[in-house]
Every structure is written in structure tokens, then in C-alpha cells.
Amino acid sequence: MSAAVLTPSPLRSFDRDTNKRSARRSVSASRLGRASHADPDEMEEPVSGGIASANEEQPSAGAHPIAVRKQREREANLSRFNHWRSATKVPKPQDDHAGEFRDVSELPLARLTVQERGIVESDATALVDQLAKGALTAVEVTTAFAKAAVAAQDVTNCLTEVFIEEGLKRAQELDDHYRATGRVVGPLHGLPVSIKDHILLKGHDTSTGYTGWAYNTVAEKDATVVRILREAGAVFYVKTANPQTLLSLETNNNIYGTTYNPFNRDLAPGGSSGGESALIACHGSPMGVGTDIGGSIRIPAAWCGLYGLKGSVGRLPHAGLLGSHDGMDNIIGCVGPLARSARDLDLFCRVMSQADPWLMEHQVFEMPWRNPSEITLPRKLCIAVLWDDGVVAPHPPITQALRDAKAALEESGHEVIDWEPLDHWGHWELISKLYLLDGGAEYRQTLRDGNEHAVPQTEWILGHAKDREAYTIQETWQLNLEREKFRSRVLEHWNATAARTSSGRPVDAILCPVAPTLAPPHTTVRWWGYSSYWNLCDYPGVVFPVGKLGLRGGNLGLEEPHDPRNDIESFVQSQWDPHTYANAPISLQLVGRRLNEEKLLAMLHVLEQSLGRVEHKDDTSV
Amino acid sequence: MSAAVLTPSPLRSFDRDTNKRSARRSVSASRLGRASHADPDEMEEPVSGGIASANEEQPSAGAHPIAVRKQREREANLSRFNHWRSATKVPKPQDDHAGEFRDVSELPLARLTVQERGIVESDATALVDQLAKGALTAVEVTTAFAKAAVAAQDVTNCLTEVFIEEGLKRAQELDDHYRATGRVVGPLHGLPVSIKDHILLKGHDTSTGYTGWAYNTVAEKDATVVRILREAGAVFYVKTANPQTLLSLETNNNIYGTTYNPFNRDLAPGGSSGGESALIACHGSPMGVGTDIGGSIRIPAAWCGLYGLKGSVGRLPHAGLLGSHDGMDNIIGCVGPLARSARDLDLFCRVMSQADPWLMEHQVFEMPWRNPSEITLPRKLCIAVLWDDGVVAPHPPITQALRDAKAALEESGHEVIDWEPLDHWGHWELISKLYLLDGGAEYRQTLRDGNEHAVPQTEWILGHAKDREAYTIQETWQLNLEREKFRSRVLEHWNATAARTSSGRPVDAILCPVAPTLAPPHTTVRWWGYSSYWNLCDYPGVVFPVGKLGLRGGNLGLEEPHDPRNDIESFVQSQWDPHTYANAPISLQLVGRRLNEEKLLAMLHVLEQSLGRVEHKDDTSV
């Protein structure tokens, strides 16, 4: 790496005026009558160098003493690599010419060499292949992604803990090992992997978006997933932002502020694994580890044009995460990968399985991962399309993407039928109770302990338990029964599709939106029903990109919307304006039967072939 | 079947003197200071024809109005088959010559023809083979087992619902089908299967040992396990007794009274699936369905000399059971088989799996059952023996059986090391909290609603939550964490055995007692630690018979016992007297890794080969 001249962070000037609140956010918030801000009791001067306060729409996160300290430390770690930071000065979103910089996704590549661009544009599968052949070194690969990661942080605010030297040191060790032995240490030898903040990574803090946890949660050991990745040869160099409470499909907390969507900074990158999605979309990581209890892998992957897999509970290791409600297992989240190709999702799961995680962690089922290419699929798949969940219809580009996919599948000889939505509103009433069994008490206590206010999305979700006490255990047993009854209904509903297919078999998968909108303006997420439904069912869901709004022609938005069926749909309908979502990725979701992750990925492969998306070649483009 | 002369039930005279309470029970109860009786508010005259009051040691169960009605109905159903009932008059246990009738296990065969004896002495695997070949008819097989079942009821009080005509009708339909088509309807075509009372069986009551549930719980549909059995061709003809609350390792309730061990009526048949074990041991059923959350399949199977399998949670279908604490999933029970051979356990699981139960019931994992004979085992197994759990040492015959098994394994070239017990007392402190999260409130309410008193074993288990309120949900989350921590510790403990084996692999299985005693005198069970430990771990456990006390020579009981380590061990030590346990079956337990049920059965096969137990031939002895 070259000893380049230190460049001041282009975002250093963005830390003023932090107490402004835009009319727009207030409007959005007041529409559903929930978003509001507690006033933190203790505020310091905003910190220099952070991006958290760059967007006027965000609360004054930078002012919390913990935020000051954490952002200062992050900046110190980044400043050692100022020569990697973007030379382009990115204006504030509301400034003149800001529109020219809504899409910042390519800026992180500016300092990369041609070779490095080749590296960061490759998927993980190609990279580990090249690393294993000795065609690339771990230091080369780590350097390329770290360079992009530093710049990605500057334009999207996606990172929390930054420890690039540690990553480079590990990469050097791996290279030394390879040179000495001619062998890789494992299937991910030399691959940089980014880790969501709330996942334990030995020696690093696990603030998890809570000011009260920062500096109190330095991990003494790795989470199981991290341990397996580490033993497989992965290189760790950054942790990534997650929102306060984790129970949010956006990414905003009082330590680091808001994370931005690199394709349009006016839009959310998704959450809760939004640091991951922003980073990977900026080529700052080839593969990241997220978690999903209501969409937190799939939503950010979709809104940033990536691949993301939420498996069934118990399929992948899950021990070693920090989060609220530890020990609550009425509804359980999943660890899973975000990546740039479908085959990388398979790679991640295969590596997990090969480590015999069931010998490390009681909860993991001993179900060895099968190679999706070895899965025998029916020659003629039957896919059901969920067009509209009956609560909030998706925006036009999503419906169009479903139509395109249906046509492509049929052209390829597959069958497509409609999926009749089954009680998506009921699912939400139930799962939102399961999320907040204690009435939100533990969340609120954690905020009080950390002397911080609730960010808008926290207020919104906690509003679902407004004025409700914690359930008694008898009530939670009743809710468990309702959950099991719901799962039974959906299972029977799926089985019943056999009556409507030409084969007489139930459908193989469900194709559906990931959310009713593309990546939306910040703090405006109001409906989880296309993602959290599958958490309640515990079905695996994979999301995949099909395009970008800016690249599509046609008559989007010309259809007359129906009368809104409820306040949420009314709000979401009113959001639709193609200009709002300029350049936003368009993605879809494929949902499979419980514990059929391999079959799901095999079907995604067939679907992508039908869509004409070129499968990744077996060797890298480097 | 012949129209034999009606014979009065030999037990009809046993229904007097129901309010006596023996000194012995009171002593047992007072030793641990827990067992006592509430006085039911409403009592009727004891019913004629029931056995519930035959044993002076038992509470006056027969006097509850529901007991009167239920026993009268059962007697009416049985009396249609009086010609099948035992002609031998069995005296009360405390009467003169009672000792000659402690072992009643062969009496139910008295009315059977030679051919019928051949049938009921065959295992299920042999029977379904013969049925499929047309060598036996379903009516023949059902008649043989029903005859023995009627007599078994008379001598052990093992049945609840009796519907033999329904079974014979179904058997006839199956025979008609076979004659018409030359084909079986499924892999269990014509096999009688008995069902534990709390498992839903369409059209029949599901009293579950609660007076308040009787007549209010007639099943509108089958439990999943029953549905699969039915579709596989099984014939249902009886349901079997379970204890009040189900949370007991004995079998006693206020509807039907106490169930007796057919090998020694002074002893408990085990519980909670004790109706099953008594019935199958009497040849009244070739295969029964039980449930196990603390030993409730394994204990009765062991104490009646049978095979029983408790799998891992999620491996076999579990929907459609009645029981208290519905919706509680902090600790979960399992459905499983009791049978007369190891291969019948495999048959049961295979039939379950072949029905794709994961398409019927969300909770079942899609892990198709593998044929144990196809499991590749290490040539040299390594088995760890748990000799003493550190809380309550097993009685001498059990230790001797472990020694014999160790010697046999080593002679066959396998390795045997010691299993170091890991915190069995801690396991009990934790699991007894999980059993009683609500402080026992729901159990007590159900008893109040049914206007019945707690039987001794109910008082004993509820004593564990004495004066404790229901936990808050935050407290239950903490208990869940303790549970997961416990599971992690045991997993690591198992993995760590690799350091002590010659192969460097962890041990393949754990060989251990099923309980510290053989089938004990009624109402004296005080330690679950050898069975419930594996429920807390969620490891599969299979029990198998190795002999009977009366048949063994040697120096049993000559060893000087150590100083008791606690009150429970003191009590159990004081129980040891070979005469008390005369004729009691001796059984052991083999425990495998989670979700490795097939490997466990494959290892049991190897162990039984080592022990010289002749494997069942592929054809029946009929």
C-alpha cells in the first residue's frame, strides 16, 4: 500500500446544525402518530468527523457523550487510512447539487487500482478460488476491500468498529502460511468478511446501537458464526452499523447516527443489517453476516441490490449475539449472509455446515448442507406469486418485477400460479406481540440506562405495545399456541395449492415482494408484512436483485391505485413517486419450505436462469 | 372367536375399603414431607367393577362421580368380552397368598389359543410382515391382542377407553381390502396399536387423568401420530392410563386409580405412559404410543421390561396431545414408541417419517428417517458409562447390569470409558422450575375445576414450587438462558471425552441407568435424574431390557452402601431389599447425540449383539 498524502474527510464539515429537524420527517412521523423523540438528559457538543449529524433529518445523535467518544475513535482508526478516502467532496443531501451525489455507490472505488477494482467487483466464490490457487494474496484482497470500506464509511456511515490493521496482519499470516505450506487454512482463506455490530467478535466492542452497551461489551470470544468463519480463513477488519434495538428495518442509532443507501442517500439502506448492505453495495466487503427476525437480512439486501438469505431457525449457528430479550425464544431470529451472488449464499452455508456447528452449539440441527446443484428439482417448477398481501399493495416497480419474473418463468416452461395471501394482518398483530412480550420494558430500560432517547423507528415499533403491561406467562403460552396455529394454517394453505397446479403437487416456492416499497426515504418504514410473515412461519427466504428503478422504462406509476384499505396502505400509496426512488435497486424474494434452504437456492438458480441473469463464471474477472 | 361363557371379573371384589390408608404410604410420604391428600368435596359410593380401589395403599379414587361413571362405562365395554377375562381369581396384594399373584404377567395369556399366543409373543415387525404376506389376518391379530388386553386390564388396571368392536370392525375392513386387492393399505396393515390416554384419537375421550376433562374432551380429530398410524393400517382398540397431571413417573389418577406392574403388582409400572407399559408387558398390545418430558416413555418401558424410545424434540410428530401448560415450550415432551423389540422402535419411526410428517405439522423437522442398518458406525465403538449421577446411586442390580454390559462390550472389541456426571442436581433444580413455571397454578386449578384431590405424586412434584408465584416472563427468559447454558456445558463435556478415548473421537453414546431403582413400590418415586437429564439436554434415549431380578444370581446387595449424600439418596438407599423388587425387570438406557436417533438404534443393535441377546428373526414364530 502506498503512503499517500493525508486527505481530510470530505464529510468533516457536516457536523453542524444538528438540532434542526426537517418538516418532512415530522410530517412522516405525525402521519402515523407515533414517531417522536425523547430528549436525552445529557448532551455534549457534536463531535467532529462523524457523519451522524450530516443529514438534517436525523436526530442529534452525535451529541451523546458515548457518540462523541465512539465516533472520535472510529475517526482515529479511519484517519490512518485517509489516503484511501474519497477525494470527492459530497455535499449534504439538502445542499445545492446534492442531487448529483445522491448515488455515491461508485465513489468508494475512486482510489482503487484497476486490479483492486477487479477484486472488489468479484464475488466471494471467485475470490476464494483465486486465493486458493495463489492467483491473489490475502493482503491484496483485504487491502482492496478495506480501501473501499473506508471510503464507503465516508459516504454511507456504515461502519462501527474499524480494525483494518488487525485484518491486514491476519491476511499477512494467511499469506505466509500459504507460501510456507502451499495450502489454504480453510475454504475462506483470505476472504474479508464484515460482521454486524451485535455479533460477538473477540476483542472488539459490541455496542449494538445502544449507548449504554458501548465499551461494556467487548467480546471475550467469538460468536459461533465468527469462530467458524475465522477457522475457515476469513479476515475480519470492520464491524457494521445496526439500529437501536435491532427491531427496525432501517439503520439509525444514537452512537453513529443514520446509515445511508449508497444508490440514493435520501433513502434508507434497510435494516437492521443496514451497515452490511451499504458496505457491500459499496464494494467495501464481499460478504457480510447479518441477522433477521423480521426482515433484517432480506430488507437491507433487497434495498441495496444484494443477495441475502434468512434460513430456518436452527439451520445456521446463532450463539454469541448480543441483543435485547436474551433468552426469549417465542420468536427467534436467524444469522445469515449478505453477498453479491446467489452462489455466495451457498458458500457461506456450506462453510458453516462443514464445521459441524451442531458440535459447537446445541441449537443447530445436524442437517449437513447439501450442494444445491445436487438437489433434484422437478423439471417443471411451479411457483406461486404473491402479488399483494391484502394489507399494503407493493409499489408499481415491484409489481412489474413480479410480472417480468412470471413471464420469464413461463417462457422457460415453468408454471406460475397466484398465491392467495393468508392473513398478513393477523400475522402482524401476532408477531408484533411476540416482539414485545414485555411491553417494551427492556428496550425502554436499556435506553434509560444509556441515557439516550428512542430513535423514530424505535418509537414506532414500541408504539405497538403502547400502554400494555408485560404478558403473564400464561398469556405467552396462549400466544405460542396462536403462533403454532398460524403456522399450521399456512402449512395447510401451502399444501392446498396442489389442487391448483397442473402437476397436482403443491407449489415449490413462493415468489413475492420483499417489502411494499423500494428503499424508502429515511424513517418512513411502516409495513413489515412481506418479510416478517416468513419469520413467523419460519420459512427460508432469499432475496435477489432484478434491476434498478433508474434503468427501467415502461409505464410505471401510471396505474390508478385502488382505494387504500387502511392507514398504512394510505401512507405507503402516498409515498409513490418514481423520482423519490430514483436509482433504487429492485429486488424480489423467493420463499421455500421450512428447512429446505438448499432447494430454495437451487430454485433461485433456475429462476435467475429464466430471467436471463448470467450466472457467475467459475473464475474471477481479475 | 368363540362365544365363551361369561366369566365374572376376578377383581370385582376389590372395590371395598377404599378409604383405608396404609401406614406404609404415610411413612413414605412423610419422609420427604410432601405427599398428602386434599379431601375432594364430593364423593360417591365406590363403583363396582373397578380395580382402582383394589390396593389399600391408594386413595379412594373410585369414589369420585366421574370415576364411578368412567369405570362403569369401561366395565360395560369390557363385560362384552367377559369370556376373554382371566379365570384365575387374583387376591388383593395384602391378602393371604397374594405373594403367589404378585407376578400376573402370564395370566392374560390364559384364554388365548396356541396360535394367539404365538401372535402376541411376536413383535410388531414380525406381525406386519406376516400380515403383509397374508399369513395372518388383521382380525386374528386384533383378536389375540384384544383378548390379552381385556385380561391385562383385570390384573393391572391399564386401560381407560375400551373400543374393541371398533378395532375388530376396522380389522375386518383391512382384511376385506387385502382380499380384494392383494395389497396392504400401509406398512402397519392390521397391526393393533395402543394409545396413551392424552393423545387425541378421533371419537374417543381424552380425559388425561383429570376428572374435570372426562367427557369434555372427546376428540374431533386424530393427533398427527394417530393419523399417520391409522393411514399406515394400524388398528385402534384401547387407550391406556396416564397419571394425573402427566408429570409423574407412576400411573395413578382419580378416575381409574392405580396401574400395577404385571411382574410384581406391589410395584409401579412406571409413568406417565404406565398404562402402555403394563398393557404391552401383558401382551395386550404389540406397540404403544407414549410421551416423555422427564422419562415418561423410558421409565415405564424399563420397569416393565420393554423397549422405549424418546427422540429429540422435533423428530417425531407431536401435535394433537392434551395436557396442561398447552403452549409452554420452555421444555417440550416427545411422542415415542414402547414395544417388545428394538427393531419395532425403528419400525415406528420409519412409518412416521415415511408419511412426511413435516407436511402435516410445522414443528417436525424434515429429516427423513434413515435405516439404522445403513448407518455407518465406527468398527470400534466407544461407550461412556454413567455409573452414578452424583446425587442418587443406583441400586445394586443396576450397577451389576452396567458392569455386565461393559464387560460384554469390551469382549466384543469396543471401548468403554467412564462418563463423569455433570451436575445432575443442577439439572433437577432447573428442569423442575421449567416444569412449574406458573408455580403449579394451572395444575391446581384443573384439580379444583374437576373437584378432585391431588394424588401423592402430584403433591410431590408440586411441592417443588411450594409457595412460589408464577415466574415473570423476564424470569422465564433467564431460565431459558440457564437451560441453553446447561446444554452447552453438556455438549462441551461430551466433546471433551475425545481426550480420553483411544481413537481421539468423542464417545459415541452414553450407557446409564434409567432410574436409580427398578420398578419401585407405589408412590415412592423420588429421583428423576437419570431420565429427565436427557430431556433437558434434548438427547435421544432408548431403554432396553437386560434381565429380571428374580432370574439373576450373584451377590447383589452385598456391597456396603456409601453414606447417603442427601435425603433423596438416603430414602432410595433405604428402599433397597432384593425381596421388595422380586421379579422386577432390569433395564438400561443408551443415550445418543441430539437428532441422532438412527445412530442410537444402530448402536443399541451392536450393544445387544455384544450382550448376546438374540436378534429377532425376520419371520414370526407363529
Side-chain angles (χ1 to χ4, degrees):
Chain A
M1 72 188 86
S2 61
V5 179
L6 289 183
T7 311
S9 162
L11 293 166
R12 291 223 174 154
S13 61
F14 283 24
D15 57 331
R16 303 296 168 207
D17 212 6
T18 53
N19 284 318
K20 270 198 204 162
R21 307 238 172 114
S22 78
R24 184 154 148 225
R25 201 212 58 237
S26 299
V27 168
S28 315
S30 64
R31 277 189 85 133
L32 292 182
R34 281 181 177 137
S36 66
H37 298 283
D39 285 321
D41 297 336
E42 193 180 343
M43 287 288 182
E44 286 193 11
E45 279 299 297
V47 62
S48 252
I51 193 176
S53 53
N55 186 333
E56 256 199 338
E57 293 193 284
Q58 297 312 309
S60 171
H64 193 289
I66 289 293
V68 172
R69 191 173 158 199
K70 271 285 181 191
Q71 291 190 29
R72 194 170 282 151
E73 286 184 7
R74 181 179 63 178
E75 177 56 27
N77 288 329
L78 289 164
S79 65
R80 290 172 218 161
F81 302 94
N82 277 344
H83 49 294
W84 290 352
R85 296 171 101 159
S86 172
T88 307
K89 187 173 167 64
V90 180
K92 294 185 203 181
Q94 68 274 26
D95 282 355
D96 289 346
H97 309 294
E100 297 164 29
F101 293 96
R102 286 203 291 186
D103 178 3
V104 296
S105 61
E106 295 297 317
L107 292 181
L109 303 184
R111 301 277 192 181
L112 271 63
T113 64
V114 171
Q115 151 107 350
E116 286 168 343
R117 288 187 187 217
I119 290 171
V120 300
E121 282 165 358
S122 300
D123 71 352
T125 304
L127 290 169
V128 296
D129 181 61
Q130 294 294 300
L131 284 155
K133 287 177 179 161
L136 289 172
T137 67
V139 167
E140 284 172 330
V141 174
T142 302
T143 301
F145 283 103
K147 275 176 124 168
V150 166
Q153 161 58 26
D154 284 337
V155 295
T156 67
N157 191 32
C158 55
L159 302 184
T160 58
E161 307 296 322
V162 176
F163 41 97
I164 293 167
E165 291 94 337
E166 180 182 322
L168 290 170
K169 181 165 171 286
R170 172 66 175 153
Q172 187 61 58
E173 288 168 2
L174 291 165
D175 286 340
D176 293 346
H177 172 92
Y178 187 88
R179 264 190 292 270
T181 65
R183 294 182 172 207
V184 294
V185 302
L188 300 183
H189 183 102
L191 185 75
V193 177
S194 48
I195 306 293
K196 186 178 179 180
D197 201 54
H198 79 115
I199 301 172
L200 293 178
L201 198 151
K202 188 176 176 180
H204 295 284
D205 203 4
T206 321
S207 311
T208 310
Y210 285 130
T211 56
W213 289 12
Y215 300 108
N216 297 316
T217 48
V218 177
E220 292 177 7
K221 64 176 195 173
D222 289 335
T224 308
V225 60
V226 173
R227 173 183 162 190
I228 294 172
L229 290 168
R230 194 190 291 279
E231 290 171 1
V235 171
F236 304 119
Y237 59 118
V238 288
K239 292 186 79 176
T240 61
N242 64 232
Q244 186 187 63
T245 78
L246 291 164
L247 204 57
S248 170
L249 299 184
E250 303 190 29
T251 300
N252 180 19
N253 63 59
N254 289 325
I255 304 175
Y256 299 105
T258 298
T259 302
Y260 299 99
N261 191 312
F263 297 103
N264 181 337
R265 300 204 317 143
D266 291 341
L267 306 178
S272 63
S273 311
E276 284 300 331
S277 62
L279 176 67
I280 301 170
C282 286
H283 301 277
S285 165
M287 178 184 275
V289 185
T291 54
D292 189 321
I293 198 171
S296 284
I297 290 170
R298 290 162 293 155
I299 291 283
W303 288 353
C304 289
L306 304 172
Y307 293 80
L309 174 68
K310 176 206 83 70
S312 313
V313 172
R315 198 70 211 275
L316 293 174
H318 192 247
L321 315 184
L322 292 196
S324 299
H325 298 177
D326 207 9
M328 189 279 287
D329 54 14
N330 307 73
I331 184 83
I332 303 180
C334 295
V335 165
L338 296 89
R340 302 181 65 84
S341 71
R343 65 180 185 169
D344 283 359
L345 305 179
D346 170 58
L347 172 66
F348 179 92
C349 297
R350 192 154 25 91
V351 167
M352 288 296 125
S353 180
Q354 285 171 351
D356 293 349
W358 40 85
L359 296 183
M360 302 176 186
E361 188 179 318
H362 173 86
Q363 295 88 337
V364 182
F365 305 151
E366 187 171 336
M367 298 180 77
W369 186 260
R370 292 167 295 160
N371 188 331
S373 70
E374 291 166 6
I375 301 287
T376 306
L377 293 179
R379 198 194 52 74
K380 180 180 177 175
L381 288 178
C382 186
I383 308 289
V385 174
L386 170 62
W387 300 95
D388 173 349
D389 71 359
V391 181
V392 181
H395 280 173
I398 297 166
T399 301
Q400 186 59 47
L402 289 170
R403 282 194 199 114
D404 294 345
K406 173 182 160 78
L409 281 164
E410 288 175 339
E411 259 178 57
S412 302
H414 303 293
E415 185 176 8
V416 179
I417 68 172
D418 291 344
W419 176 265
E420 302 295 335
L422 183 72
D423 201 7
H424 279 243
W425 181 250
H427 123 274
W428 181 245
E429 289 197 309
L430 179 53
I431 202 169
S432 59
K433 289 175 185 164
L434 295 174
Y435 288 147
L436 300 166
L437 291 171
D438 68 349
E442 186 177 326
Y443 289 123
R444 294 192 188 280
Q445 185 61 48
T446 306
L447 300 189
R448 276 195 297 275
D449 291 346
N451 192 29
E452 63 172 318
H453 61 70
V455 303
Q457 290 299 99
T458 300
E459 283 295 346
W460 175 78
I461 192 73
L462 292 186
H464 289 79
K466 211 155 195 147
D467 304 324
R468 175 165 65 67
E469 296 290 306
Y471 290 118
T472 65
I473 57 169
Q474 286 88 353
E475 288 169 333
T476 66
W477 296 348
Q478 194 54 45
L479 289 171
N480 289 346
L481 286 178
E482 288 181 35
R483 179 196 64 202
E484 293 312 305
K485 190 174 167 193
F486 195 94
R487 289 171 171 172
S488 289
R489 286 171 65 202
V490 179
L491 180 57
E492 285 170 23
H493 190 61
W494 189 315
N495 293 342
T497 58
R500 296 191 287 122
T501 65
S502 62
S503 66
R505 287 183 296 109
V507 296
D508 299 297
I510 303 163
L511 181 66
C512 60
V514 192
T517 69
L518 308 181
H522 298 284
T523 77
T524 68
V525 174
R526 292 296 181 275
W527 182 236
W528 296 19
Y530 289 94
S531 56
S532 57
Y533 192 90
W534 310 116
N535 295 89
L536 186 63
C537 295
D538 194 24
Y539 290 166
V542 63
V543 301
F544 56 100
V546 294
K548 269 194 205 167
L549 188 58
L551 305 178
R552 298 180 65 86
N555 58 354
L556 294 177
L558 293 187
E559 293 171 85
E560 197 60 36
H562 55 258
D563 284 339
R565 292 165 287 192
N566 51 66
D567 287 352
I568 303 174
E569 186 167 59
S570 173
F571 176 79
V572 171
Q573 267 193 4
S574 74
Q575 283 191 300
W576 173 240
D577 176 345
H579 301 293
T580 303
Y581 298 91
N583 206 39
I586 302 170
S587 299
L588 294 176
Q589 178 175 214
L590 198 65
V591 172
R593 296 267 201 177
R594 184 182 183 213
L595 296 170
N596 275 268
E597 283 75 14
E598 299 95 324
K599 184 178 174 193
L600 179 64
L601 292 184
M603 290 189 288
L604 175 59
H605 184 75
V606 171
L607 174 53
E608 291 207 292
Q609 283 180 318
S610 299
L611 287 167
R613 292 182 66 85
V614 179
E615 273 303 290
H616 292 264
K617 297 189 295 280
D618 282 331
D619 51 13
T620 176
S621 55
V622 176
Chain B
M1 71 186 89
S2 60
V5 178
L6 288 182
T7 311
S9 163
L11 293 166
R12 293 227 173 152
S13 60
F14 284 22
D15 57 324
R16 305 295 168 209
D17 211 8
T18 53
N19 284 318
K20 268 198 207 164
R21 307 240 170 111
S22 76
R24 184 154 145 225
R25 202 213 57 240
S26 300
V27 169
S28 314
S30 64
R31 276 189 86 131
L32 292 183
R34 282 178 177 137
S36 66
H37 297 284
D39 284 320
D41 297 336
E42 193 181 344
M43 286 288 180
E44 285 192 12
E45 279 301 296
V47 62
S48 251
I51 193 176
S53 54
N55 186 333
E56 256 201 336
E57 293 193 283
Q58 296 312 309
S60 169
H64 192 289
I66 289 293
V68 173
R69 190 173 159 200
K70 271 285 181 193
Q71 291 189 30
R72 196 170 281 152
E73 286 183 7
R74 180 179 63 178
E75 177 56 26
N77 288 329
L78 289 164
S79 65
R80 290 173 218 159
F81 301 94
N82 276 344
H83 48 293
W84 290 352
R85 297 171 101 159
S86 173
T88 308
K89 186 172 166 64
V90 180
K92 294 186 202 181
Q94 67 275 25
D95 282 353
D96 289 344
H97 309 294
E100 297 163 29
F101 293 97
R102 286 205 289 186
D103 178 3
V104 296
S105 60
E106 296 297 318
L107 293 182
L109 302 184
R111 300 276 191 182
L112 271 62
T113 64
V114 172
Q115 151 108 348
E116 286 168 342
R117 288 188 186 217
I119 289 171
V120 301
E121 282 166 357
S122 300
D123 70 352
T125 303
L127 290 170
V128 295
D129 181 59
Q130 295 293 302
L131 285 155
K133 286 177 180 160
L136 289 171
T137 68
V139 168
E140 284 172 331
V141 174
T142 303
T143 301
F145 283 102
K147 276 176 123 168
V150 166
Q153 162 58 27
D154 284 337
V155 295
T156 67
N157 190 33
C158 55
L159 302 184
T160 58
E161 308 296 322
V162 177
F163 41 97
I164 293 167
E165 291 93 338
E166 180 182 322
L168 289 170
K169 180 164 173 285
R170 172 67 175 152
Q172 187 62 57
E173 289 168 2
L174 291 166
D175 286 339
D176 293 346
H177 173 92
Y178 187 87
R179 265 189 292 270
T181 66
R183 293 183 173 209
V184 295
V185 302
L188 300 183
H189 182 102
L191 184 76
V193 177
S194 47
I195 305 292
K196 186 177 178 180
D197 200 54
H198 80 114
I199 300 173
L200 292 178
L201 198 150
K202 189 176 176 180
H204 296 284
D205 203 4
T206 320
S207 312
T208 310
Y210 285 128
T211 56
W213 289 11
Y215 300 108
N216 297 316
T217 48
V218 176
E220 292 177 7
K221 63 176 197 173
D222 289 334
T224 309
V225 60
V226 173
R227 172 184 163 189
I228 294 172
L229 290 168
R230 193 188 293 277
E231 289 172 1
V235 172
F236 305 118
Y237 58 119
V238 288
K239 292 185 80 176
T240 62
N242 64 231
Q244 186 188 62
T245 78
L246 291 165
L247 204 57
S248 170
L249 298 184
E250 303 190 30
T251 300
N252 180 19
N253 63 59
N254 289 326
I255 303 175
Y256 299 105
T258 298
T259 302
Y260 299 100
N261 191 311
F263 297 104
N264 181 336
R265 301 204 315 144
D266 290 342
L267 306 178
S272 62
S273 311
E276 283 299 330
S277 61
L279 177 67
I280 301 170
C282 286
H283 301 277
S285 165
M287 178 184 276
V289 185
T291 53
D292 188 323
I293 198 172
S296 284
I297 289 170
R298 290 163 292 155
I299 291 283
W303 289 352
C304 289
L306 304 172
Y307 293 79
L309 174 68
K310 176 205 83 71
S312 314
V313 172
R315 199 67 210 277
L316 293 174
H318 192 248
L321 315 184
L322 291 197
S324 299
H325 297 176
D326 207 9
M328 188 278 288
D329 56 12
N330 307 74
I331 184 84
I332 303 180
C334 295
V335 166
L338 295 89
R340 302 180 66 83
S341 71
R343 65 181 185 169
D344 282 358
L345 305 179
D346 170 58
L347 172 66
F348 178 91
C349 297
R350 193 155 23 91
V351 167
M352 289 295 127
S353 180
Q354 284 170 351
D356 294 348
W358 39 85
L359 296 183
M360 303 177 186
E361 187 180 318
H362 173 86
Q363 295 88 337
V364 181
F365 305 150
E366 187 171 337
M367 296 180 76
W369 187 259
R370 292 167 295 159
N371 188 330
S373 69
E374 290 165 8
I375 301 288
T376 306
L377 293 178
R379 197 195 52 75
K380 180 179 177 175
L381 288 178
C382 185
I383 308 289
V385 174
L386 171 62
W387 300 95
D388 173 351
D389 72 0
V391 181
V392 181
H395 280 172
I398 297 167
T399 301
Q400 186 60 45
L402 289 171
R403 282 194 199 112
D404 293 346
K406 172 182 160 79
L409 281 164
E410 288 175 339
E411 259 178 56
S412 301
H414 303 292
E415 185 176 8
V416 179
I417 68 171
D418 292 344
W419 177 264
E420 302 295 336
L422 183 72
D423 201 6
H424 279 245
W425 181 250
H427 123 273
W428 182 246
E429 289 197 311
L430 178 54
I431 202 169
S432 59
K433 289 175 185 164
L434 296 173
Y435 288 147
L436 300 166
L437 291 171
D438 69 350
E442 186 177 326
Y443 289 122
R444 293 192 189 280
Q445 185 61 48
T446 306
L447 300 189
R448 275 195 298 275
D449 291 346
N451 192 29
E452 63 173 319
H453 61 70
V455 303
Q457 290 299 100
T458 300
E459 283 295 345
W460 175 78
I461 192 73
L462 291 186
H464 289 78
K466 210 155 195 146
D467 303 323
R468 176 164 65 66
E469 296 290 307
Y471 290 118
T472 65
I473 55 169
Q474 287 87 355
E475 288 169 333
T476 66
W477 295 349
Q478 192 56 43
L479 289 171
N480 288 346
L481 286 178
E482 287 181 35
R483 180 196 65 202
E484 293 312 304
K485 191 175 165 191
F486 195 93
R487 289 171 171 172
S488 288
R489 285 170 66 201
V490 179
L491 180 58
E492 285 171 22
H493 190 62
W494 189 316
N495 293 343
T497 59
R500 296 191 288 121
T501 64
S502 61
S503 67
R505 285 184 296 109
V507 295
D508 298 297
I510 302 165
L511 181 66
C512 60
V514 192
T517 69
L518 308 182
H522 297 285
T523 77
T524 68
V525 174
R526 293 294 181 275
W527 182 236
W528 296 19
Y530 289 95
S531 56
S532 57
Y533 192 90
W534 310 117
N535 295 87
L536 186 63
C537 295
D538 193 25
Y539 291 166
V542 62
V543 302
F544 57 99
V546 294
K548 267 195 207 167
L549 188 58
L551 306 179
R552 299 177 66 86
N555 58 354
L556 294 178
L558 294 185
E559 292 173 85
E560 196 60 37
H562 55 258
D563 285 340
R565 293 165 288 192
N566 52 68
D567 287 352
I568 303 174
E569 186 167 59
S570 173
F571 175 79
V572 172
Q573 267 192 5
S574 74
Q575 284 190 301
W576 173 240
D577 176 345
H579 300 294
T580 302
Y581 298 91
N583 207 38
I586 303 170
S587 299
L588 294 176
Q589 176 175 216
L590 197 65
V591 173
R593 295 268 200 175
R594 185 181 183 212
L595 296 170
N596 274 268
E597 284 74 16
E598 300 94 324
K599 184 178 174 193
L600 179 65
L601 293 184
M603 290 190 288
L604 174 59
H605 184 76
V606 171
L607 173 54
E608 291 207 294
Q609 284 180 318
S610 299
L611 287 167
R613 290 182 69 85
V614 178
E615 273 303 291
H616 291 265
K617 298 188 296 279
D618 282 332
D619 51 14
T620 177
S621 54
V622 177

